[in-house]
């Protein structure tokens, strides 16, 4: 009877979330739903960002747009890469053996997330230079240097995770939806320490240092503006309303961005360190922390782009252009009906 039970268990597909398996559909339902849902959000969100940047040339006048577009392309590729484990969980045949597939998938996603993380750090450096050295900013930050920086970001990310192909260890848990990666590909404490020291720690320190100083400088500016307004009001005898300083609002946006970034990535990094040092793994924790970190690919485009007023104007113009195009097609198909109903005014922005 034990052999029968073992045989039935062996026929079950490999699921990190065992309670998400249903015999009626014969695949890991919960894992598929989570991965497909995140994949759709990541791909659709970053396509919108890329499309707006290409259709609104004014956005390219801002230096941060170089890094935002780099993040958008990297995050879009993360979403496309996530189609591989989705198809595998749905029992679609893989073109190559599972061990190579999960290694390549883990390497690609690790590199892409490294590009996104490094771009976040570069954005914080760019904003720090803009606030601390506004007079020399245009001479320090040039388009040529930005392109070189983006090239180095990609090259550096590839070099950090390339040793995973030379038996240094597993670079992360992105490929653990494949059974070979979860059971046969182990993390190495020295390789984990190497990744932390070369990527996670520098990025975290840069973000913390730059945003802390940006917020401190913004508070100083707000205090100076308040004192000047109070002095002017006392001299003129008029009491005007205090206007909110835009620097302070921008600092709060940066604080929210940093908070979301660490909320999504900190559990993954902590689990990565604990699993590598102790050797004890938990499939549920591995899946949860990994895909929570991957969800940052969608949050990046929402927070960085939708908090940008220039991007918002570009999105409105793009939406207006699409509405105008749709209206012109309707008129071309049935001009008499449109004329009887009057002009289409619903697409004005």
């Amino acid at each position: 009877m034990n052999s029968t039970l073992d045989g039935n268990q062996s026929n079950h597909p490999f699921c990190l979330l065992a309670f998400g398996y249903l015999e009626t559909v014969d695949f890991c339902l919960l894992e598929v739903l989570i991965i497909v849902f995140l994949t759709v959000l990541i791909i659709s969100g970053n396509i919108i960002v890329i499309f707006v940047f290409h259709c609104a040339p004014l956005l390219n006048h801002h230096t941060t747009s170089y890094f935002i577009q780099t993040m958008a392309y990297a995050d879009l590729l993360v979403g496309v890469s996530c189609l591989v484990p989705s198809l595998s969980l749905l029992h679609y045949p893989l073109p190559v053996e599972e061990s190579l597939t999960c290694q390549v998938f883990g390497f690609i996603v690790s590199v892409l997330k490294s590009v996104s993380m490094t771009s976040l750090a570069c954005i914080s450096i760019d904003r720090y230079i803009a606030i601390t050295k506004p007079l020399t900013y245009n001479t320090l930050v040039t388009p040529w240097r930005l392109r070189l920086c983006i090239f180095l970001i990609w090259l550096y990310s590839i070099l950090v995770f390339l040793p995973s192909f030379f038996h240094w260890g597993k670079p992360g848990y992105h490929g653990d939806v494949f059974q070979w990666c979860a059971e046969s590909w182990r993390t190495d404490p020295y390789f984990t320490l190497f990744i932390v020291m070369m990527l996670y720690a520098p990025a975290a320190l840069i973000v913390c240092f730059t945003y802390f100083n940006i917020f401190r400088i913004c508070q100083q500016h707000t205090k100076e503006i308040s004192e000047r307004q109070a002095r002017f009001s006392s001299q003129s005898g008029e009491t005007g309303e205090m206007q909110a300083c835009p620097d302070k609002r921008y600092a709060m946006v940066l604080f929210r961005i940093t908070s979301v970034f660490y909320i999504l990535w900190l559990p993954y990094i902590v689990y990565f360190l604990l699993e590598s040092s102790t050797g004890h793994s938990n499939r549920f924790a591995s899946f949860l922390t990994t895909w929570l970190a991957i969800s940052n690919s969608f949050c990046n485009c929402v927070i960085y782009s939708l908090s940008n007023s220039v991007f918002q104007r570009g999105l409105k113009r793009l939406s207006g252009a699409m509405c105008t195009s749709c209206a012109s097609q309707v008129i071309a198909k049935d001009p008499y009906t449109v004329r009887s109903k009057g002009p289409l005014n619903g697409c004005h922005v």
Side-chain angles (χ1 to χ4, degrees):
M1 183 172 178
N2 291 335
S3 60
T4 305
L5 291 174
D6 293 340
N8 292 334
Q9 291 176 355
S10 63
N11 293 328
H12 291 175
F14 173 75
C15 298
L16 287 174
L17 305 178
F19 53 85
Y21 169 72
L22 294 178
E23 294 184 356
T24 55
V25 294
D26 195 31
F27 61 80
C28 308
L29 179 62
L30 186 57
E31 292 179 39
V32 171
L33 289 176
I34 293 174
I35 295 175
V36 170
F37 177 70
L38 286 178
T39 300
V40 172
L41 287 180
I42 293 171
I43 292 177
S44 59
N46 287 283
I47 284 179
I48 292 174
V49 173
I50 294 171
F51 198 60
V52 170
F53 270 98
H54 279 280
C55 295
L58 289 176
L59 288 170
N60 295 322
H61 290 259
H62 296 262
T63 55
T64 53
S65 66
Y66 286 85
F67 297 112
I68 293 176
Q69 290 183 76
T70 301
M71 288 168 50
Y73 279 110
D75 292 335
L76 175 62
L77 292 176
V78 169
V80 174
S81 301
C82 290
L83 294 173
V84 175
S86 301
L87 295 176
S88 175
L89 291 172
L90 292 172
H91 305 305
Y92 279 85
L94 299 173
V96 294
E97 61 182 6
E98 185 184 52
S99 60
L100 181 59
T101 301
C102 76
Q103 288 185 64
V104 173
F105 172 74
F107 170 77
I108 291 176
V109 175
S110 298
V111 169
L112 294 174
K113 294 309 299 177
S114 173
V115 170
S116 181
M117 183 181 297
T118 312
S119 297
L120 292 174
C122 289
I123 288 176
S124 68
I125 295 174
D126 175 79
R127 293 298 85 203
Y128 177 76
I129 296 174
I131 290 179
T132 57
K133 298 181 179 180
L135 299 179
T136 58
Y137 175 78
N138 290 330
T139 57
L140 294 174
V141 183
T142 61
W144 181 84
R145 289 179 178 177
L146 289 172
R147 295 188 184 96
L148 177 62
C149 182
I150 291 171
F151 171 76
L152 294 176
I153 287 173
W154 284 92
L155 180 62
Y156 183 78
S157 300
I158 292 173
L159 293 177
V160 167
F161 291 99
L162 192 62
S164 62
F165 285 107
F166 300 99
H167 308 289
W168 280 37
K170 184 162 60 174
Y173 307 102
H174 310 103
D176 278 11
V177 291
F178 301 98
Q179 186 172 3
W180 188 89
C181 273
E183 297 180 352
S184 301
W185 200 15
R186 299 297 181 182
T187 57
D188 183 88
Y190 295 105
F191 186 46
T192 300
L193 181 62
F194 172 79
I195 295 174
V196 170
M197 297 302 295
M198 298 298 292
L199 178 62
Y200 297 148
L205 291 175
I206 289 172
V207 168
C208 291
F209 173 80
T210 52
Y211 285 163
F212 173 79
N213 283 278
I214 288 171
F215 190 76
R216 180 178 56 83
I217 293 171
C218 288
Q219 282 186 325
Q220 292 177 354
H221 289 176
T222 302
K223 184 178 179 181
E224 292 175 0
I225 292 173
S226 300
E227 291 176 352
R228 290 177 183 178
Q229 287 182 343
R231 192 182 305 113
F232 177 78
S233 299
S234 62
Q235 292 176 356
S236 61
E238 298 179 358
T239 56
E241 292 185 358
M242 297 292 293
Q243 296 182 354
C245 178
D247 286 340
K248 186 175 181 179
R249 292 197 299 267
Y250 186 66
M252 292 305 298
V253 172
L254 296 177
F255 178 75
R256 288 194 291 268
I257 290 168
T258 308
S259 300
V260 171
F261 173 77
Y262 280 108
I263 288 172
L264 295 177
W265 268 99
L266 191 58
Y268 173 83
I269 297 174
V270 170
Y271 177 78
F272 192 30
L273 291 171
L274 291 176
E275 198 272 342
S276 300
S277 59
T278 62
H280 299 289
S281 60
N282 183 283
R283 291 181 177 179
F284 177 78
S286 170
F287 181 87
L288 180 63
T289 56
T290 297
W291 291 95
L292 185 66
I294 288 179
S295 68
N296 185 249
S297 295
F298 174 70
C299 297
N300 283 340
C301 63
V302 173
I303 298 174
Y304 269 96
S305 300
L306 296 185
S307 62
N308 189 324
S309 59
V310 179
F311 179 87
Q312 291 175 354
R313 291 196 295 269
L315 184 60
K316 289 180 180 179
R317 291 173 184 172
L318 181 61
S319 302
M322 293 177 64
C323 289
T324 304
S325 176
C326 293
S328 62
Q329 292 180 2
V330 172
I331 294 174
K333 289 181 180 179
D334 195 358
Y336 298 102
T337 304
V338 174
R339 287 175 184 174
S340 63
K341 292 183 179 180
L344 295 175
N345 296 324
C347 293
H348 293 295
V349 178

